[in-house]
Amino acid sequence: MKLELRGITKRFGSLVANDHIDLTVEPGQIHALLGENGAGKSTLMNVLYGLYQADEGEVLLDEVEQHFRGPGDAMAAGIGMVHQHFMLIPVFTVAENVMLGHEDTKGLGSLDLAKAREHVRAVAARFGFHIDPDALVGDLPVGVQQRVEIIKALSRDAKVLVFDEPTAVLTPQETDELMGIMRQLRDEGTAIVFITHKLREVREVADRITVIRLGKVVGEASPTATNAELASLMVGRAVELTVHKDAPTLGEGGLEVRDLRVLTPAGAVVVDGVSFDVRPGEVLAVAGVQGNGQTELVEAIVGLAPRVEGSISLGGTELVGRSVRAILDEGVGFVPEDRTEDGLVAGFSVAENLILDRSTDPEFVRAGTLRRDALQEFAVGRIEEFDIRTQGAQTPAGALSGGNQQKVVIARELSRDLKLLVAAQPTRGVDVGSIEFIHKRIIETRDAGIPVVVVSTELDEVAALADRIAVMYRGTVVGIVPGDTSRETLGLMMAGASDPEVAA
């Protein structure tokens, strides 16, 4: 099925999110839509999917104009969407999620779950998925949840499939698997719109690339274009894709972790005997396949882990046993790996989110009353300094694009006097221009004599930022190596090789 968007324009008040956009996607083609966070990519696809109504323009399928009043109309016409933030109900099973909204019934109107289970098994077998139709979605890893989204879209016989930032929450291994699924769908004749800002992924799978910036199409590019060429077209300026940093100037003290063990409430050990130091003025990057204890390590440092044994000392002050509030007040900045769950309150304004961990600061609160003028002035300054794309300081944080939400979190944490910065997946779901900015701010923090811990599953990011790299595997640190250690060595260590010399 051929998809055409002609002159699509969508306004939100004075903001023109899409400005007369044209796009054509042929059957059996992966058409990448590349752009910065907030460029209008997701808005355009929400118009296509019937979630928004265009102010101008038309949508055509096989030359026939369509008028979608909602997602149901789009799905009935053969359009499916895999959203960046999954549209699944965690307490429902896989089969129940897949049949939701298109329920099959049998005698006396009861749901035909057996038919739904069989359909899940059939689509899963087609792609080599291993998914239990009766598994609760909330118990599944995010990579498997995304496969459920794909099954759900294909169960409606989708001929046009939209992937909206599909790799934002995936590990590198899950991303590679998704690329294979997209190629298989393309080879079967599906027209695919791939919304992303990740240059490597575009070059790997796209047949055509359309670049939009500030709501307008600014050009098309070939998949053979260099990363620098794509980044420049996307951002509108030359982008520095490498991080420039001098050799670290190390201070005394900093973070000391000794014999750290983290246990789940049920008693399972998820971090086992971990020890390391981070000196003032250096970046220690923690690498590893997601799920090997990195999340729990970070939670222990900031006081979120329920059961912790061992010692975590910052400048001689013991942190184990202290509350999250006390640890933050000690000067720990924390960028969580899941900004929507742990980093922001979506219904609060950008300004309010910028002081979430400073709600008792006399600068903003006096005699229990919020000083709104001071908050507004502070927020406007941070919005400008960190290039947060928003209509204003009072815009709800949930209305921002994912990358701009991340900038709010980064701005909040770097606007305090810090003794330690802990950043987990600091550029997850962030475009190349914002990555350049965030990496620069992390290195500036390090150069200010502050110890920095960065946890990332992206080896390119680890290599760019790290002075030293601690590799985790099954809850332990298998080795701490220099920041210029090869990807091959790191990859072997991430698989459990404990001796870097052997791994090399």
Side-chain angles (χ1 to χ4, degrees), residues 492-503:
L492 288 169
M493 294 178 70
M494 288 163 66
S498 59
D499 187 339
E501 296 298 325
V502 174

Side-chain angles (χ1 to χ4, degrees), residues 319-330:
L319 301 184
V320 171
R322 305 188 73 183
S323 68
V324 176
R325 174 78 272 164
I327 291 172
L328 294 180
D329 288 345
E330 194 62 36

